[in-house]
């Protein structure tokens, strides 16, 4: 039954929903507010890094003229292994995580913290693992070699 969730929820809207949940928790549980020095500056730097990863990676997809739709990994025409994809197999998802981490830093509320590993778990289980199966079927040994050279997240 859990297989029904694979490749169904787009990571960008999922990131937005998790961000809204974080805001809701921070609003509902103000007693869990914490003091983080320079949290505004740190949040801004994390957000900029996240946006750079997301949009920078999207440029690689566009240049390679391959699908950017995470629901259809089997339609990929090109295996991208250069640029940001040399440091992470999933720089866009890493960017989304950095955006959520920036939001946590900005909100500075411990109630939001458990949503970050939950987001990573969901992406790993229902997005990344099914993508990896599809890309292994599509690109075979080349993708397997890439997976051995480059980590999933960082």
């Amino acid at each position: 039954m859990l297989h029904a969730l694979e490749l169904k929820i787009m990571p960008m809207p999922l990131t937005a929903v998790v961000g809204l949940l974080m805001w809701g928790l921070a609003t509902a549980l103000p007693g869990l507010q914490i003091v983080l020095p320079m949290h505004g500056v740190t949040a801004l730097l994390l957000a900029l890094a996240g946006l750079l990863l997301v949009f920078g990676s999207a440029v690689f997809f566009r240049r390679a003229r391959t699908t950017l739709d995470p629901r259809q990994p089997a339609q990929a025409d090109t295996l991208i292994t250069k640029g940001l994809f040399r440091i992470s197999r999933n720089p866009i998802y890493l960017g989304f995580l950095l955006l959520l981490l920036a939001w946590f830093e900005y909100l500075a509320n411990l109630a939001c913290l458990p949503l970050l590993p939950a987001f990573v778990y969901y992406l790993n289980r229902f997005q990344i693992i099914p993508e990896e199966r599809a890309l292994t079927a599509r690109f075979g040994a080349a993708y397997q070699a890439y997976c051995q050279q480059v980590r999933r997240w960082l």
Side-chain angles (χ1 to χ4, degrees):
M1 178 165 151
L2 289 178
H3 291 293
L5 293 174
E6 290 183 353
L7 303 173
K8 295 293 188 244
I9 300 175
M10 298 271 294
M12 187 180 295
L14 175 66
T15 303
V17 167
V18 171
L20 286 172
L21 288 171
M22 291 171 73
W23 174 79
L25 286 171
T27 302
L29 301 167
L32 293 177
Q33 197 79 18
I34 56 175
V35 175
L36 296 172
M38 297 180 53
H39 75 101
V41 172
T42 305
L44 178 63
L45 293 174
L46 287 167
L48 289 174
L51 290 170
L52 176 68
L53 284 171
V54 170
F55 290 109
S57 300
V59 167
F60 278 92
F61 277 96
R62 294 287 182 216
R63 285 185 181 161
R65 295 187 178 158
T66 192
T67 184
L68 192 55
D69 186 346
R71 297 168 300 171
Q72 305 294 327
Q75 293 181 0
D77 295 322
T78 306
L79 177 60
I80 304 170
T81 60
K82 296 181 183 197
L84 297 169
F85 292 88
R86 288 183 301 150
I87 59 168
S88 172
R89 294 196 312 257
N90 299 287
I92 293 176
Y93 303 153
L94 180 59
F96 289 153
L97 179 60
L98 285 177
L99 288 170
L100 289 174
L101 188 57
W103 189 227
F104 166 74
E105 182 78 19
Y106 179 78
L107 294 171
N109 189 296
L110 288 175
C112 304
L113 191 58
L115 292 177
L116 298 175
F119 176 78
V120 170
Y121 173 80
Y122 183 90
L123 279 183
N124 278 331
R125 171 62 183 86
F126 298 107
Q127 188 65 43
I128 294 172
I129 290 172
E131 281 180 4
E132 290 176 344
R133 279 194 308 261
L135 294 172
T136 298
R138 181 90 166 117
F139 298 108
Y143 184 72
Q144 290 173 332
Y146 172 65
C147 288
Q148 291 190 355
Q149 295 171 349
V150 179
R151 295 175 63 121
R152 183 178 281 168
W153 283 89
L154 192 66

